[in-house]
């Protein structure tokens, strides 16, 4: 399979695909993560703009079987120190930056992958719903939106086991890492999915 992993971070979302030998392209803009296998240093907004340019010129964009995306969750988080929680404690209105989510939806519409999954936190549900996204599955703290077969997920790590020291430069990436059980469960479900396309 050809897999595109946007906001790939440490690569957890696409790890099961990568280990199985699928063709994985990871898109990340943090130079500290440039050594993660299959990672290309790009901004997702630039990827979207390039796809739009290809379409405007009548050029074909690369086809992907699976598109995975984990847009930054800080804007949607309910954690004590998140912008949303701070604003609420201060009695202020808060509207999250939806630019990355909108760019992701745009890329999905343009590339038309057979399966696509957007992962985020529980606090995203209210805001994602405004763009027509409804959770398809929830596994622990991972809310999954998209077009993919329902799947079972093995045991997920606890929040404490994923946490790194507050001074670690990749602390946020370790906390946001999609666990192996989720990646493997998703890939297995896709492999086992039978549709009319399989009989053509």
């Amino acid at each position: 399979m050809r897999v595109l992993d946007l906001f790939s971070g440490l690569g957890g979302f696409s790890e099961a695909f990568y280990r199985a030998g699928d063709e994985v392209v990871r898109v990340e803009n943090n130079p500290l993560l440039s050594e993660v296998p299959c990672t290309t240093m790009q901004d997702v907004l630039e990827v979207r703009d390039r796809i739009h340019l290809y379409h405007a010129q009548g050029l074909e964009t690369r086809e992907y079987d699976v598109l995975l995306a984990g847009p930054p969750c800080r804007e949607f988080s309910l954690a004590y120190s998140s912008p949303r929680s701070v604003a609420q404690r201060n009695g202020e209105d808060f509207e999250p930056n939806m630019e990355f989510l909108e760019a992701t939806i745009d890329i999905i519409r343009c590339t038309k992958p057979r399966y696509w999954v957007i992962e985020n936190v529980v606090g995203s549900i209210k805001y994602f719903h405004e763009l027509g996204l409804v959770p398809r599955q929830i596994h622990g703290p991972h809310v999954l939106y998209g077009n993919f077969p329902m799947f079972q997920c093995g045991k997920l790590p606890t929040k404490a086991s994923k946490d790194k020291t507050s001074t670690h430069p990749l602390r946020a990436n370790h906390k946001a890492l999609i666990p192996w059980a989720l990646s493997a469960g998703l890939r297995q479900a896709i492999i086992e999915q039978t549709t009319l396309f399989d009989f053509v």
Side-chain angles (χ1 to χ4, degrees):
M1 288 186 287
R2 287 181 174 174
V3 181
L4 178 61
D5 186 356
L6 304 176
F7 312 98
S8 57
L10 291 163
F13 212 167
S14 55
E15 187 63 15
F17 299 85
Y18 169 72
R19 291 193 199 178
D22 294 320
E23 185 181 338
V24 173
V25 175
R26 292 170 170 152
V27 176
E28 176 56 51
N29 67 357
N30 184 344
L32 295 176
L33 297 165
S34 62
E35 299 302 315
V36 175
C38 306
T39 297
T40 176
M41 287 288 112
Q42 295 181 73
D43 188 286
V44 168
L45 301 180
E46 293 172 358
V47 172
R48 179 211 46 206
D49 293 344
R50 188 168 61 253
I51 289 171
H52 277 257
L53 181 61
Y54 288 163
H55 279 269
Q57 296 174 342
L59 302 173
E60 292 291 321
T61 54
R62 190 167 189 186
E63 292 183 4
Y64 290 97
D65 301 295
V66 182
L67 185 147
L68 308 170
C73 65
R74 191 164 187 271
E75 292 284 311
F76 312 109
S77 174
L78 298 172
Y80 184 80
S81 61
S82 70
R84 180 177 173 184
S85 296
V86 170
Q88 287 176 341
R89 286 197 303 274
N90 293 334
E92 301 167 352
D93 291 331
F94 176 76
E95 287 299 324
N97 182 346
M98 304 291 278
E99 187 176 29
F100 290 120
L101 175 61
E102 290 168 347
T104 300
I105 294 171
D106 219 4
I107 291 170
I108 291 167
R109 286 178 180 151
C110 289
T111 59
K112 300 178 176 61
R114 185 171 180 188
Y115 302 104
W116 59 273
V117 190
I118 300 175
E119 184 274 345
N120 218 277
V121 295
V122 172
S124 69
I125 295 174
K126 170 186 175 183
Y127 299 105
F128 281 37
H129 187 266
E130 294 172 4
L131 294 181
L133 296 175
V134 177
R136 179 157 171 77
Q137 272 193 289
I138 298 177
H139 291 287
H142 306 278
V143 180
L144 306 178
Y145 306 83
N147 176 40
F148 58 91
M150 303 287 272
F151 66 95
Q152 297 294 319
C153 184
K155 185 177 181 181
L156 298 174
T158 63
K159 185 176 179 181
S161 69
K162 293 172 67 174
D163 201 8
K164 298 292 178 184
T165 63
S166 60
T167 57
H168 195 287
L170 294 175
R171 179 176 185 255
N173 296 96
H174 283 281
K175 289 182 73 173
L177 179 66
I178 304 290
W180 167 260
L182 198 151
S183 178
L186 173 62
R187 185 183 187 278
Q188 187 66 32
I190 289 173
I191 291 297
E192 293 176 353
Q193 176 83 347
T194 302
T195 71
L196 291 175
F197 293 108
D198 298 310
F199 299 99
V200 175

